[in-house]
């Protein structure tokens, strides 16, 4: 039987740790604050933003909500970010993606002060990760490292295969696994023989965005399988990028969907907000 990596329990543990740290800073008079910006009313974004606000309230972080209309211009959004960058009482800034078509996402990401970029998307933070320097790390891959570490799974010396190369998940995931001394291969839509490459993995991370694509044919006997995907199937039930039923019996450890990687993202966002506060305090 594989070890089921319990993202619900591990994320709850991280949130409790963050809550205790936030309470300790509050005792010293600090109010850690995250500004959350949503443009338009995409229902999925609304759910994500709602969950982030709830998590802030739970751990004791103040959240400032900016709900801007769909027709907001790029200039208006950049002006708001510039104001928030300057505000002493704001430690973290998060812009919920995707943005409406009239706004250039890269311009917006680049406009956020890297010291407040709790999503870890700013090129300065990505560069820091690339060169082994301190900075914010994208929450989902950072959460996956926590899942592995806290489940007693070491990465050093292992063959790691990441399927997917997005800026938010695949690329930072590969860099983090490399930092943990894994031997890392990244697959994408142009990779030949993805099955054969994936089958080499001791640790396989599926961030491909295709429901249940990863079947047992992609998985080496005894591998650790991390499923980043989130989809709704025909019966409106959540499923991942991994065909859990066929794959799980062949693994030594696996994340379920739901209850695996999903809850880690917000827990790591909370963690990054405390880091943003600490960074400010250290550098004042
Ligand atoms: P994305 O931006 O769509 O990237 C998907 C990646 O998979 C791309 O790099 C793409 O290659 C690659 N790919 C697509 N089809 C492939 C194939 N047949 N073989 C090999 N590679 C293939 O997705 P994402 O933002 O990284 O997200 C991935 C999944 O994770 C989605 O299901 C998303 O909903 C989920 N997600 C979950 C969380 C969470 O909190 N749990 C957070 C973020 C994302 P190319 O680059 O060549 O196009």
């Amino acid at each position: 039987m594989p070890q089921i990596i319990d993202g619900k329990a591990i994320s709850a543990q991280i949130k409790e740790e963050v809550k205790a740290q936030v309470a300790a800073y509050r005792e010293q008079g600090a109010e850690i604050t995250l500004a959350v910006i949503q443009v338009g009313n995409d229902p999925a974004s609304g759910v994500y933003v709602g969950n982030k606000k709830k998590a802030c309230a739970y751990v004791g972080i103040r959240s400032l909500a900016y709900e801007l209309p769909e027709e907001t211009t790029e200039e208006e959004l950049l002006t708001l970010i510039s104001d928030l960058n300057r505000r002493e009482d704001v430690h973290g800034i998060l812009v919920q993606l995707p943005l409406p078509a009239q706004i250039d996402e890269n311009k917006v990401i680049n406009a956020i002060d890297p010291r407040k970029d709790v999503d870890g998307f700013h090129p300065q933070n990505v560069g820091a990760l690339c060169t082994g320097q301190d900075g914010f790390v994208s929450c989902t891959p950072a959460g996956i490292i926590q899942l592995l570490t806290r489940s007693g799974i070491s990465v050093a010396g292992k063959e790691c295969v990441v399927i997917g190369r997005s800026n938010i998940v695949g690329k930072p995931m590969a860099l983090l696994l490399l930092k943990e001394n894994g031997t890392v291969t990244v697959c994408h839509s142009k990779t030949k023989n993805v099955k054969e490459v994936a089958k080499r993995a001791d640790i396989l991370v599926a961030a491909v965005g295709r429901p249940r694509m990863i079947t047992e044919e992609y998985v080496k006997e005894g591998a650790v399988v991390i499923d980043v995907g989130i989809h709704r199937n025909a019966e409106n039930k959540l499923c991942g990028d991994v065909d859990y039923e066929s794959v799980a019996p062949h693994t030594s450890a696996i994340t379920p969907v739901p209850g695996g990687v999903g809850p880690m993202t917000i827990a790591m966002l909370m963690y990054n907000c405390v880091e943003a506060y600490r960074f400010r305090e250290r550098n004042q």
Side-chain angles (χ1 to χ4, degrees), residues 77-97:
L77 180 55
L78 292 175
T79 303
L80 171 60
I81 291 171
S82 159
D83 291 344
L84 293 168
N85 281 344
R86 276 196 300 271
R87 273 177 63 170
E88 288 273 313
D89 65 325
V90 172
H91 303 95
I93 302 171
L94 180 154
V95 180
Q96 186 64 43
L97 303 178

Side-chain angles (χ1 to χ4, degrees), residues 140 163-166 168-170 187-190 194 207-210 213 228-231 241 261-262 265:
T140 302
I163 312 185
R165 59 171 166 183
S166 70
I168 290 171
V169 187
C187 296
H188 46 78
S189 67
K190 307 289 184 294
V194 178
V208 71
R210 295 183 183 269
M213 176 182 131
V228 187
I230 311 178
H231 315 276
D241 288 347
V261 173
T265 302

Side-chain angles (χ1 to χ4, degrees), residues 4 60 72 74 104 106 120-121 123 132 148 200 203 205 209:
I4 311 298
T72 301
E74 189 176 278
D104 180 340
N106 281 333
F121 296 164
L148 294 170
R200 294 206 302 256
I203 299 176
V205 180

